[in-house]
Amino acid sequence: GAVVSQHPSWVICKSGTSVKIECRSLDFQATTMFWYRQFPKQSLMLMATSNEGSKATYEQGVEKDKFLINHASLTLSTLTVTSAHPEDSSFYICSTDLGVGDIQYFGAGTRLSVL
Amino acid sequence: TQLLEQSPQFLSIQEGENLTVYCNSSSVFSSLQWYRQEPGEGPVLLVTVVTGGEVKKLKRLTFQFGDARKDSSLHITAAQPGDTGLYLCAGVGEKLTFGTGTRLTIIP
């Protein structure tokens, strides 16, 4: 069964609005979650590492004020795309490693389309 | 910056044929993983290779880790339409670094 649940699977929004994506760990506690971005026909690029109870660690070039990450509980991390623009349209995927390191379990992804 | 280059980028072959996908890096990784991703879904882990020179088989898929732990290959024998997807290698280090991806299409 699924280890990570991501919601919504698809969202369409108007330019300038904010969109929140949720990533939940099912039946386990995830102190760390990862957020990736994937453009069409391209690979996954790590955006940030979400740490429960502390600030997220952002990769170089990722605007932390643009992509707000909150990991307030051990089962939920959220990514909010603020003031979304068409260039933010992408496939966003979260994952966690269950705290055991190498193996990451991915959510089904969220396709964001900004009009 | 650690980069993982995959080749080919795109591959379209007939059902029943064999194929090999390559994953190359200038960096050494403690281990390397292969994932398959279908449209609209997250990647699913296929295998992790850890030891230099290691070969792992998963039914018709054979994975090899280079002796220097910088490169890897995925060989599929007798490809089937169900093998269609995006194949991603990923180097395991402080964080997971994904390769550039190979989009495979198997034509029935």
Side-chain angles (χ1 to χ4, degrees):
Chain A
V3 175
V4 176
S5 173
Q6 195 172 335
H7 178 81
S9 57
W10 200 321
V11 57
I12 301 173
C13 69
K14 291 184 178 179
S15 186
T17 60
S18 294
V19 174
K20 181 185 284 188
I21 302 169
E22 294 186 348
C23 184
R24 293 182 184 274
S25 57
L26 305 176
D27 300 324
F28 70 94
Q29 295 178 335
T31 55
T32 303
M33 287 187 172
F34 305 92
W35 287 96
Y36 294 85
R37 183 173 180 173
Q38 184 177 32
F39 288 108
K41 302 188 190 312
Q42 294 188 24
S43 187
L44 279 72
M45 298 298 294
L46 180 65
M47 297 175 66
T49 301
S50 169
N51 305 297
E52 187 272 333
S54 64
K55 292 182 179 180
T57 305
Y58 289 81
E59 295 299 302
Q60 192 173 8
V62 178
E63 298 176 60
K64 60 182 179 182
D65 295 329
K66 171 77 172 173
F67 299 99
L68 299 178
I69 291 174
N70 184 285
H71 195 154
S73 79
L74 286 170
T75 59
L76 175 65
S77 175
T78 61
L79 167 67
T80 301
V81 182
T82 62
S83 186
H85 290 284
E87 57 265 31
D88 298 324
S89 298
S90 189
F91 194 54
Y92 293 87
I93 310 174
C94 68
S95 73
T96 185
D97 59 7
L98 302 184
V100 295
D102 291 355
I103 299 176
Q104 285 197 20
Y105 297 88
F106 289 83
T110 297
R111 182 160 301 285
L112 171 63
S113 296
V114 184
L115 305 178
Chain B
T1 304
Q2 296 175 315
L3 291 174
L4 282 157
E5 293 282 342
Q6 284 183 239
S7 61
Q9 188 178 0
F10 299 96
L11 183 59
S12 184
I13 63 171
Q14 293 289 137
E15 180 177 0
E17 293 184 358
N18 303 331
L19 66 109
T20 302
V21 176
Y22 299 93
C23 173
N24 294 293
S25 173
S26 57
S27 302
V28 176
F29 292 99
S30 58
S31 61
L32 195 139
Q33 299 177 331
W34 283 92
Y35 292 82
R36 187 172 83 195
Q37 184 183 19
E38 306 214 9
E41 298 181 13
V44 175
L45 179 66
L46 297 174
V47 78
T48 302
V49 284
V50 180
T51 308
E54 181 178 5
V55 176
K56 278 192 174 178
K57 289 194 174 184
L58 188 66
K59 295 184 181 178
R60 294 175 295 99
L61 278 60
T62 302
F63 304 85
Q64 185 161 8
F65 202 11
D67 292 339
R69 306 209 320 274
K70 292 182 179 181
D71 53 84
S72 181
S73 64
L74 157 60
H75 183 79
I76 302 179
T77 58
Q80 299 177 0
D83 296 328
T84 293
L86 176 66
Y87 288 81
L88 297 160
C89 64
V92 179
E94 207 171 286
K95 57 188 178 185
L96 206 58
T97 303
F98 280 91
T100 48
T102 295
R103 188 162 297 279
L104 174 64
T105 303
I106 308 301
I107 304 165

